[in-house]
Amino acid sequence: MREDEKEVMKQAEQRSFDYLSSVDHRNVYPTQAALDGLRGFDEALPEHGCDSSQTLAMLDTLGSPATVVTNGPRYFGFVVGAALPAAAAAERLMLAWDQGAAMAMTSPTCASIEEVARRWLLEILDLPGESGIGFGTSATACGLTCLTVARSQLLLRAGWNLHEQGVYGAPLIRVVVSETVHVTILKALRILGFGQQQIIKAPVDQHGRIDPERLPALDAMTILCLQAGEVNTGEFDPFSALIPRARQAGAWVHVDGAFGLWARASSLKQTHTAGIEEADSWTVDGHKWLNTPYDCAMSICRDADALAQAMNSDAAYASGSKNAQKNLTLEFSRRARGVPVWAALRSLGKSGVAAMVERHCAMARELATLLKGAGLNVLNRVVLNQVVVQGRTDQETTAIRLAVEKSGEAWFGPTVWKGSAAFRISISSWRTEKADIDRLFLAIVKARDDVQAIQH
Ligand SMILES: *Cc1c(COP(=O)(O)O)cnc(C)c1O
């Protein structure tokens, strides 16, 4: 190891350590001064290489203060978690390994660990043991993967070999999604050639769940996309009322469980996810509720062979077995996304995952009670870790959210619920404790009082 490499890697360790030591008391959303500092990066591409230590120092000095502290205890945006120590540490070591984890040939270590992670995931999520899992970058990419498999399989059953005959001229496939479908599913469908006008929206009830009474007709050429964890309310589609009907019709059922599928690893399993195991494919993120670092997600497919056929990238110089990750994901060269999953599951254990999920849900309920008590309008019935909140008017709602952001105490994002402005508070960081919920609550009430004082 060269001296300069040794030096910069030690500095990176130290700077990471210092940053992590500061996440409890940093402004959750950066100050204007810190944001202004980002202009420092706007230099010309250097003609000659710069010193590595100096580059790292610049990254830290200008970059760290302007980070949004998603890795802290009071970030409540987008249902993302922080990074669990075991998972973050595993990523660090993996960076030193620098494995291209396409297949066992390129990384026996990663291939072995990802196979264990597959087995553990199917156990903790109680999904069919024969399922194949691709460890990809995001629920977006993994949703695309699963929907690609769905499309090929439905066409194959109709006598059309997509891989040989292509998509043009193929029999038509219908797609039924929830009215409250996540935008990334629509993106995946767009990439696969399904236009907005071809996508049928299933009406939802007042909580944002597909209403079985009004489920559009399904047939053997239909892909039905369900949700475990509606993005605003955290609600679950009624799987046991929907999936048997889809199966009977011969449709393919995909479940987007980006964050919500983790409920299945907790005591909420029965109330929220009964019947979900009858679907054909599922996506779930690591980087949201499991609290792995980004980018980390899984495509889970009951028919492992179908997944391996749809994603196959065997070549003369690189033929992998059907469970080589390059044959289960969009990527060929890739980081082993399954390793941080393995580390997270190993450090928490089954009981630890359940406890984390249950604790977050309990805190969400407590927060909702506190907010209601203070006269705020909680719009959902809080069945998971999501609380949707509103002020008296759209302007007031936005003003409260921005005032909390400015206070540095906490951060949560905007949303629109039934046509009016709201904000969405997600409790999903392993770092969040009761005291953080109290601080969040006080910050919201203070913001609301300040906003109302100005209005009067
Ligand atoms: C976040 C989310 C996605 C997209 O996941 P990424 O990992 O950000 O690509 C899809 N569906 C739901 C319900 C989500 O919450």
Side-chain angles (χ1 to χ4, degrees):
M1 196 178 189
R2 272 168 42 168
E3 277 311 310
D4 54 348
E5 182 179 7
K6 221 181 262 178
E7 206 41 49
V8 75
M9 294 314 288
K10 276 192 197 148
Q11 289 164 0
E13 250 344 279
Q14 186 60 49
R15 288 182 186 274
S16 305
F17 187 83
D18 292 345
Y19 180 83
L20 283 174
S21 311
S22 76
V23 296
D24 283 349
H25 50 262
R26 264 177 196 277
N27 260 28
V28 180
Y29 204 80
T31 61
Q32 193 54 48
L35 293 172
D36 291 344
L38 294 175
R39 285 201 289 269
F41 286 115
D42 191 14
E43 30 173 39
L45 171 65
E47 189 60 39
H48 303 290
C50 301
D51 178 68
S52 302
S53 293
Q54 191 269 330
T55 301
L56 178 72
M58 178 176 173
L59 181 66
D60 191 20
T61 314
L62 299 178
S64 293
T67 53
V68 178
V69 188
T70 49
N71 204 359
R74 285 181 309 285
Y75 180 82
F76 301 101
F78 300 101
V79 219
V80 299
L84 281 165
E91 288 273 21
R92 293 279 176 87
L93 181 57
M94 277 214 298
L95 277 181
W97 294 350
D98 191 34
Q99 304 284 280
M103 55 197 140
M105 180 168 73
T106 56
S107 180
T109 304
C110 293
S112 303
I113 298 170
E114 291 192 301
E115 175 50 27
V116 174
R118 182 191 73 88
R119 188 160 52 76
W120 286 5
L121 275 167
L122 296 176
E123 182 178 336
I124 197 167
L125 297 173
D126 193 16
L127 293 176
E130 72 273 19
S131 303
I133 301 187
F135 292 97
T137 50
S138 62
T140 304
C142 290
L144 175 61
T145 302
C146 289
L147 292 169
T148 303
V149 181
R151 187 182 63 173
S152 325
Q153 286 300 304
L154 290 188
L155 287 174
L156 201 60
R157 290 177 202 161
W160 186 272
N161 185 329
L162 185 71
H163 300 184
E164 298 297 329
Q165 297 168 275
V167 67
Y168 299 102
L172 281 182
I173 289 184
R174 308 163 70 239
V175 185
V176 177
V177 301
S178 165
E179 233 174 15
T180 62
V181 63
H182 196 269
V183 62
T184 58
I185 291 285
L186 296 177
K187 174 175 169 177
L189 290 169
R190 193 167 76 228
I191 294 170
L192 291 173
F194 297 100
Q196 284 288 334
Q197 292 170 8
Q198 297 173 295
I199 297 171
I200 301 159
K201 301 265 171 86
V204 297
D205 66 13
Q206 56 169 328
H207 306 298
R209 306 173 302 176
I210 291 180
D211 176 2
E213 299 293 308
R214 291 181 289 159
L215 181 68
L218 307 172
D219 62 22
M221 295 305 283
T222 307
I223 300 173
L224 173 64
C225 293
L226 304 180
Q227 304 194 92
E230 198 274 333
V231 75
N232 284 309
T233 59
E235 295 265 354
F236 292 69
D237 284 330
F239 305 111
S240 22
L242 298 171
I243 299 182
R245 282 168 65 183
R247 288 193 81 89
Q248 198 161 25
W252 181 286
V253 182
H254 173 67
V255 180
D256 174 8
F259 62 92
L261 198 58
W262 290 107
R264 195 162 167 83
S266 77
S267 59
L268 297 170
K269 176 178 174 180
Q270 217 29 52
T271 48
H272 290 9
T273 74
I276 205 174
E277 68 282 3
E278 297 298 327
D280 297 286
S281 57
W282 307 261
T283 42
V284 61
D285 269 319
H287 57 217
K288 284 183 176 168
W289 217 350
L290 185 60
N291 281 250
T292 69
Y294 301 97
D295 309 315
C296 181
M298 293 132 263
S299 357
I300 308 174
C301 201
R302 173 193 298 277
D303 184 343
D305 290 343
L307 173 61
Q309 281 156 21
M311 289 296 125
N312 182 276
S313 55
D314 279 345
Y317 71 96
S319 69
S321 70
K322 68 176 190 194
N323 54 12
Q325 280 292 318
K326 74 178 181 66
N327 289 340
L328 304 172
T329 59
L330 295 175
E331 294 82 12
F332 187 98
S333 304
R334 58 185 283 280
R335 283 182 18 204
R337 322 275 173 191
V339 172
V341 172
W342 164 85
L345 292 177
R346 195 164 194 282
S347 76
L348 292 173
K350 278 191 193 175
S351 64
V353 174
M356 181 170 74
V357 166
E358 288 159 17
R359 191 165 59 87
H360 289 152
C361 295
M363 289 194 287
R365 286 193 302 272
E366 274 175 51
L367 176 67
T369 306
L370 287 170
L371 290 172
K372 281 183 208 161
L376 279 129
N377 196 5
V378 173
L379 302 180
N380 65 325
R381 57 179 185 172
V382 193
V383 294
L384 203 68
N385 60 342
Q386 301 284 102
V387 188
V388 186
V389 188
Q390 207 170 46
R392 292 180 306 191
T393 61
D394 282 6
Q395 289 83 339
E396 187 177 295
T397 302
T398 304
I400 294 172
R401 182 174 60 76
L402 293 175
V404 173
E405 173 181 298
K406 192 149 183 250
S407 76
E409 278 286 283
W411 196 89
F412 43 79
T415 191
V416 173
W417 183 243
K418 295 179 182 162
S420 53
F423 45 85
R424 177 168 74 116
I425 299 169
S426 312
I427 303 177
S428 37
S429 166
W430 70 274
R431 293 186 201 274
T432 304
E433 289 173 7
K434 177 69 174 81
D436 298 303
I437 299 299
D438 292 340
R439 276 176 71 172
L440 168 66
F441 169 66
L442 291 176
I444 293 173
V445 169
K446 176 167 191 315
R448 192 267 317 265
D449 292 347
D450 290 352
V451 166
Q452 290 188 349
I454 294 169
Q455 283 168 350
H456 286 132

